[in-house]
Amino acid sequence: LFKDLQRKQKIEETVKNLRDMSEKQEELSEKAGKEESQNLEKEQDQLNKEFEDLSKKLEDIEKQSNELNKSFDAREEEQKDISQEQKSAKSNLQQKKNDSAAKSQKNAAQKMKKMADALEEQMQSAEMQQAHVDMNALREILENLIKISHDQERIMKNFRTIAVSDPRFIPLSQEQLNISNDAKIIEDSLFALAGRVMQLEAMVTKE
């Protein structure tokens, strides 16, 4: 559970960093026609390095997701497009082509924003899907618990009315063993679910 929370936190931080970077890139495109290319080139170079670092973080998140059997799309094509726009912006600034640089910078900013939106949407979709799976799992556990409870009550009543020598005693004992095995499976399922759902964890562990 902790590793998955850590993974989600990394995705949220990456989305925030990407949005911040998009704003910086947009601001830089607006400066392109007003300042010397040399100053802008340094700022663009810094943004290029920041995006390279962010790409490495996305690679780490993808690796961690695979280890946890969680799906995650690092948007590699979008990363390549953004990186190319940034390289083009830097190259144009070096050649004093500020208008062309501004266009590439603006494109990079827009693509960063779209990529941040896509990552955020992906995370929200995954959380909704997992919540749906967990809800169905909880419903199934509760239904099985009710069934076992009724079966257990019926068997206990039967045990009270028969002697050990009664031919029905052995089948009832076998049925009791089956209920015990089923109860263990339900218990394991409940602990597994509690490991994914924090709201259940404290209650299940306490019980």
Side-chain angles (χ1 to χ4, degrees), residues 91-161:
S91 176
N92 282 319
L93 287 169
Q94 288 172 335
Q95 298 172 54
K96 313 296 183 185
K97 297 178 180 178
N98 284 28
D99 288 343
S100 296
K103 185 177 179 181
S104 293
Q105 288 167 333
K106 194 169 188 65
N107 287 342
Q110 290 173 345
K111 288 176 181 179
M112 284 176 185
K113 187 178 182 303
K114 285 183 180 179
M115 184 175 161
D117 290 341
L119 287 171
E120 191 170 49
E121 185 179 340
Q122 179 186 172
M123 184 173 66
Q124 290 173 349
S125 176
E127 286 178 349
M128 286 179 65
Q129 187 177 2
Q130 187 61 55
H132 182 68
V133 170
D134 291 341
M135 183 62 72
N136 286 339
L138 182 58
R139 186 182 294 113
E140 187 176 346
I141 287 170
L142 291 173
E143 287 173 356
N144 287 330
L145 273 174
I146 291 169
K147 182 181 182 303
I148 280 183
S149 175
H150 290 159
D151 289 345
Q152 184 65 68
E153 188 177 353
R154 173 179 53 79
I155 287 175
M156 293 306 295
K157 283 181 180 178
N158 288 335
F159 269 132
R160 284 196 291 267
T161 61

Side-chain angles (χ1 to χ4, degrees), residues 152 155-156 159 171-181:
Q152 184 65 68
I155 287 175
M156 293 306 295
F159 269 132
L172 277 175
S173 297
Q174 184 58 52
E175 195 173 352
Q176 177 64 64
L177 182 61
N178 291 340
I179 287 176
S180 297
N181 291 336

Side-chain angles (χ1 to χ4, degrees), residues 55-101:
S55 293
K56 289 176 184 176
K57 287 179 182 177
L58 283 170
E59 189 178 334
D60 289 340
I61 292 170
E62 189 171 36
K63 183 179 177 182
Q64 188 177 15
S65 297
N66 290 334
E67 289 172 356
L68 295 170
N69 293 320
K70 301 282 186 179
S71 62
F72 179 74
D73 183 0
R75 322 299 296 187
E76 290 181 10
E77 287 302 315
E78 287 96 323
Q79 287 186 53
K80 288 177 185 176
D81 288 346
I82 292 167
S83 182
Q84 188 57 49
E85 293 286 4
Q86 288 187 312
K87 287 175 182 176
S88 177
K90 182 180 176 182
S91 176
N92 282 319
L93 287 169
Q94 288 172 335
Q95 298 172 54
K96 313 296 183 185
K97 297 178 180 178
N98 284 28
D99 288 343
S100 296

